[in-house]
Structure formats: C-alpha cells, structure tokens
Amino acid sequence: KAGVTQTPRYLIKTRGQQVTLSCSPISGHRSVSWYQQTPGQGLQFLFEYFSETQRNKGNFPGRFSGRQFSNSRSEMNVSTLELGDSALYLCASSPLGSMNTEAFFGQGTRLTVV
Amino acid sequence: EDQVTQSPEALRLQEGESSSLNCSYTVSGLRGLFWYRQDPGKGPEFLFTLYSAGEEKEKERLKATLTKKESFLHITAPKPEDSATYLCAAYSGNTGKLIFGQGTTLQVKP
C-alpha cells in the first residue's frame, strides 16, 4: 500500500514569489491535513480538507490556501512568500479525519525562501 | 487556550537505561492523544492513539499511558535505533484541531 506522497521534496523560492505544494494521500483516505514545521514553533496546523471541502483552519494568514480535488489529492499554495515561511511542510492523510484514527504523514516538502 | 507541552526537550540515555517522556495537555474536549516518532528529514511516524484516562498501549520497547492531564511514553531498555524525536499531539473535539507538542529528542548511546 503506497504511503502519502508529497512533491516536490525540496524547493527554493525568492521573497514575493508564490509556491504550490502537492500531496497525494493514501488510497481510500478522504481527509488531508497540512502542517508547517519549524524549529522554533514545532508542528502547527494549517488546514484540513475532507471530500473537497475545507473542514478546519489554523491560525495562518490568508496567504496560505489550499484545495482538494475529487481524487482526494490536495494542493497548498503560499502567495507573496516571506523569509519566515521557510519550513518543512507536511501533509497527513486519514480515512475520516484526525478525530477518528491516526494520521499518516508524508516525507514533507522543505521550502527555503531566500 | 488548547496547549500541549512535552518534557524534557532532550534526553540522553545509555543503551538499556529505561526512562519516560512526559506530555501534559490542556485541550478542550479531548478526543484522542497521539504519539509519533520523527526521524531527521522525515515525516512523523504514527506510534499510538489513546482515547481515555487509564488506557495503555504497548509496542516493542514502548508503552504509552494516559491520565486526565498527561500522557507518558515509557521506553524500556532502549537501543540506539530508538533515537529520534518523539511527538505527542492532542485532538480537540471542540475545535477539530490536532495540537502538537514541541517534541522530545531522544539520543540513545551504545
């Protein structure tokens, strides 16, 4: 059974640019959550999508957005990049959502903003 | 405000030296307490889910327990391959969010 796949693994962008990250969940999983991980703040919840609808949102500015497609694949977009957006972005999938069972994480996308 | 705090931040053990990691939480409407292991450069790997006070789960050298205010991850006779960062997370049924602690970085020396 294939795990959660995130692409790309590494990304370098310049301040002011925008970026799109992709996440393919485990087959059959309908929930995809996104997290930002930094050494100072740890893992912080960005948002969760379930059946193409945003079900929950963390405390991040509107520059961070996402969407989910009918095949459950999800994308996260960050516009007008800032240096502080440099982080490991992780996505996790679960069958129904974090409340019911464990979430399986991908390897992450390491974003560096210069 | 919902919060999860892990201690210690870092722990160094000799191989075979048992110890415990602590996860204290204040979460509205706790619906699950999760433990993950994260190796450098990788995503977190699921270990356990605990749902109610008094519950215990075991896997090899690891045992997780839960009370109404905290969870412990007990490591019995650790080996160098147990070296990793251990993350705990609490799911709030009221907010629908999974809140992570900062993690405990464990180093086991041979």
Side-chain angles (χ1 to χ4, degrees), chain B residues 26-102:
Chain B
T26 48
V27 170
S28 56
L30 180 75
R31 296 279 293 275
L33 190 291
F34 301 81
W35 281 97
Y36 287 87
R37 168 192 171 130
Q38 186 174 25
D39 293 297
K42 295 189 175 182
E45 174 190 345
F46 170 78
L47 292 173
F48 304 107
T49 308
L50 302 166
Y51 290 105
S52 57
E55 190 174 357
E56 299 182 352
K57 288 192 176 173
E58 287 188 67
K59 180 181 179 180
E60 296 179 355
R61 295 177 292 283
L62 301 176
K63 178 180 175 181
T65 62
L66 181 66
T67 72
K68 288 187 177 179
K69 293 185 177 181
E70 55 193 351
S71 177
F72 293 94
L73 184 65
H74 307 278
I75 303 177
T76 302
K79 297 182 178 181
E81 52 262 41
D82 294 323
S83 297
T85 295
Y86 291 86
L87 297 163
C88 121
Y91 185 83
S92 166
N94 290 1
T95 64
K97 294 176 183 176
L98 188 62
I99 301 139
F100 279 84
Q102 294 282 64

Side-chain angles (χ1 to χ4, degrees), chain A residues 44-110:
Chain A
Q44 291 188 291
F45 172 73
L46 280 156
F47 29 65
E48 179 194 4
Y49 284 87
F50 182 81
S51 294
E52 301 179 67
T53 301
Q54 187 180 90
R55 187 157 71 174
N56 231 317
K57 190 176 187 306
N59 300 322
F60 278 81
R63 299 185 297 106
F64 292 82
S65 63
R67 59 177 174 169
Q68 187 179 33
F69 302 96
S70 58
N71 61 358
S72 292
R73 189 178 72 86
S74 178
E75 287 183 347
M76 188 190 90
N77 184 275
V78 187
S79 63
T80 320
L81 284 165
E82 301 177 359
L83 295 178
D85 297 332
S86 295
L88 180 67
Y89 289 88
L90 292 158
C91 90
S93 79
S94 63
L96 297 175
S98 301
M99 69 183 85
N100 288 304
T101 184
E102 67 273 17
F104 295 89
F105 283 82
Q107 298 276 54
T109 294
R110 172 74 61 184

